[in-house]
Amino acid sequence: MYPESQLIEWRRELHTWPELSGQEFATTARLRGWLQAAGIRLRDYPLETGVVAEIGQGETVIALRADIDALPIHEASGVRFHSRHPGVMHACGHDLHSAVMLGAALQLQAQADTLPGRVRILFQPAEEIARGARQFIGAGVLDEVQAIFGMHNEPSLPLGTFATRSGAFYANADKFIIRVTGKGAHAAYPEQGVDSIVTASQIIQALQGLTSRSFNAFDSLVLSITRIDGGKSWNVLPGGVEFGGTARTHDLQVRADLEQRVRTLVEQFAAANGAQATLTWQPGPPVLINDPHWAGFCSDVARQAGYRVQTAELHLLGEDFAFYLQQVPGAFVSIGSASEFGLHHASFTPDEALIAPAAGYFAQLARQALQHLSARCQASLPL
């Protein structure tokens, strides 16, 4: 058994050398080396980055997942093991998640001969761009898996706190781009052109009213404009403006209705001003839906492990673990990391004291889930 200090050391090494989504080559090599040194077997899949380990024997299989990629953020945390890659930082805690699942793997390896099945541990790349889970699924990592579990650290929760919920948890997280094309003109003679800036501003204002006046107040719905680009000179009306943002929902029908309403609004406001406009809607990860049985199971094990358990609030963040839950049942959980600064902040500093208890929790969860599935399988066998 490796001590807690080893897990923290590994986390800090990952933190020092972060890699962006799809570029996690050194991270993959480090994880492979640590797992192999512990005698843990690795599964061979057609993957450029990421690692899949497996522990135990038998037909019953569950999976644990960690994400391994970092963000294009320049670190300002002030820790001595800060990122040595300028402009790249583990500002979402994926280094912690990896350390947690490494610790769980080590504990499960020590129990390998008595496990009532197999635990497949996924160290997944490219979560931040919502590609990694689909790559893993396409490679076949979910073959034989009967349940899957994952975690995210939660900066707003204190250490020792655990939260999850049944049903919808994380949101549909979509991206959109709107391009308005008008007619450029001298700013002194706006009547000679078609003002793309005025048109874009009217669309933006209408979009903010759309969410509050066209949908039920009880629907989980956020639409945010996050960037705008138009014009290069103080005395020229630009011929075009581009802006975009994100839409977050928890219901697939609301998601579809919102896209259609945005498209109609954009086209009609543009036409009213004599301009043209196009909407590009890029679906992100879908709503993450926890299986009610496994969400309750995870909470029960968390109580046994000594966590303070509570029901999680709905998140408007996106999480590509949702793709796994479209394929097999399971649950995603939050574990308190007590950071003054939130996720994706340059000064994000989660408390490393969460790592060892969370590793123990996931080892316990994996073993009990295998026992539960094995017992359920035996109960369904004919006499």
Side-chain angles (χ1 to χ4, degrees):
M1 186 68 63
Y2 287 62
E4 177 182 9
S5 59
Q6 179 65 81
L7 301 181
I8 291 175
E9 181 181 330
W10 284 339
R11 179 260 164 165
R12 292 183 177 183
E13 184 168 342
L14 294 173
H15 190 90
T16 302
W17 304 107
E19 295 176 298
L20 295 175
S21 303
Q23 302 175 29
E24 310 94 335
F25 297 102
T27 301
T28 295
R30 286 185 172 92
L31 292 167
R32 290 179 65 90
W34 295 332
L35 290 162
Q36 288 176 319
I40 297 171
R41 69 178 180 273
L42 304 182
R43 296 286 301 259
D44 186 21
Y45 293 98
L47 298 165
E48 290 189 357
T49 58
V51 184
V52 180
E54 192 169 88
I55 300 164
Q57 303 292 334
E59 296 183 1
T60 305
V61 185
I62 67 103
L64 304 177
R65 177 271 214 167
D67 35 19
I68 68 173
D69 52 330
L71 286 157
I73 293 174
H74 190 78
E75 183 162 3
S77 68
V79 297
R80 62 177 178 79
F81 51 90
H82 65 85
S83 170
R84 299 303 194 270
H85 290 158
V88 184
M89 177 190 174
H90 271 298
C92 202
H94 295 185
D95 49 341
L96 271 82
H97 305 166
S98 295
V100 166
M101 294 308 176
L102 282 168
L106 295 172
Q107 293 185 42
L108 290 165
Q109 178 68 5
Q111 308 166 17
D113 292 341
T114 61
L115 287 176
R118 287 177 281 156
V119 181
R120 193 170 295 169
I121 304 180
L122 319 180
F123 294 89
Q124 177 213 301
E127 188 279 330
E128 295 291 356
I129 58 174
R131 294 181 186 172
R134 287 178 289 181
Q135 291 171 353
F136 265 35
I137 292 167
V141 302
L142 289 186
D143 292 352
E144 305 175 283
V145 171
Q146 294 152 267
I148 185 167
F149 307 99
M151 68 159 285
H152 209 292
N153 77 93
E154 178 51 65
S156 65
L157 293 179
L159 282 176
T161 304
F162 173 102
T164 193
R165 61 184 297 124
S166 64
F169 189 2
Y170 282 66
N172 299 300
D174 300 332
K175 173 184 176 182
F176 61 86
I177 300 170
I178 297 170
R179 296 180 178 88
V180 177
T181 303
K183 180 182 177 183
H186 195 292
Y189 301 103
E191 74 281 0
Q192 296 178 4
V194 176
D195 197 326
S196 58
I197 287 182
V198 168
T199 303
S201 65
Q202 291 175 352
I203 292 172
I204 291 171
Q205 289 296 322
L207 288 175
Q208 302 310 305
L210 176 67
T211 58
S212 64
R213 291 295 178 266
S214 297
F215 290 87
N216 191 305
F218 293 102
D219 289 331
S220 299
L221 173 61
V222 169
L223 186 149
S224 294
I225 305 298
T226 56
R227 66 176 187 87
I228 184 167
D229 181 28
K232 304 297 181 185
S233 176
W234 67 279
N235 62 351
V236 177
L237 298 180
V241 172
E242 179 179 295
F243 61 95
T246 184
R248 307 296 172 106
T249 58
H250 283 103
D251 182 275
L252 293 176
Q253 189 59 54
V254 171
R255 181 194 208 184
D257 291 346
L258 178 63
E259 179 185 353
Q260 185 55 52
R261 292 298 301 272
V262 170
R263 192 173 300 280
T264 300
L265 183 151
V266 167
E267 292 171 354
Q268 292 182 351
F269 267 84
N273 285 279
Q276 295 180 322
T278 61
L279 168 68
T280 301
W281 192 279
Q282 301 176 359
V287 58
L288 186 154
I289 301 177
N290 277 342
D291 179 85
H293 168 76
W294 287 118
F297 190 94
C298 287
S299 293
D300 290 342
V301 176
R303 291 186 187 92
Q304 296 170 27
Y307 280 104
R308 297 183 298 278
V309 175
Q310 61 189 53
T311 300
E313 297 181 355
L314 280 171
H315 273 304
L316 284 163
L317 304 174
E319 171 55 65
D320 83 345
F321 191 85
F323 290 112
Y324 295 123
L325 293 178
Q326 289 182 329
Q327 305 296 316
V328 297
F332 196 70
V333 307
S334 298
I335 295 180
S337 58
S339 174
E340 177 184 358
F341 300 95
L343 303 175
H344 294 210
H345 193 287
S347 296
F348 175 60
T349 49
D351 195 323
E352 295 173 322
L354 77 84
I355 296 174
Y361 165 74
F362 276 102
Q364 186 174 344
L365 174 65
R367 186 178 186 89
Q368 291 194 26
L370 287 175
Q371 291 170 342
H372 177 73
L373 286 167
S374 297
R376 195 163 67 181
C377 180
Q378 289 295 322
S380 66
L381 290 176
L383 295 177

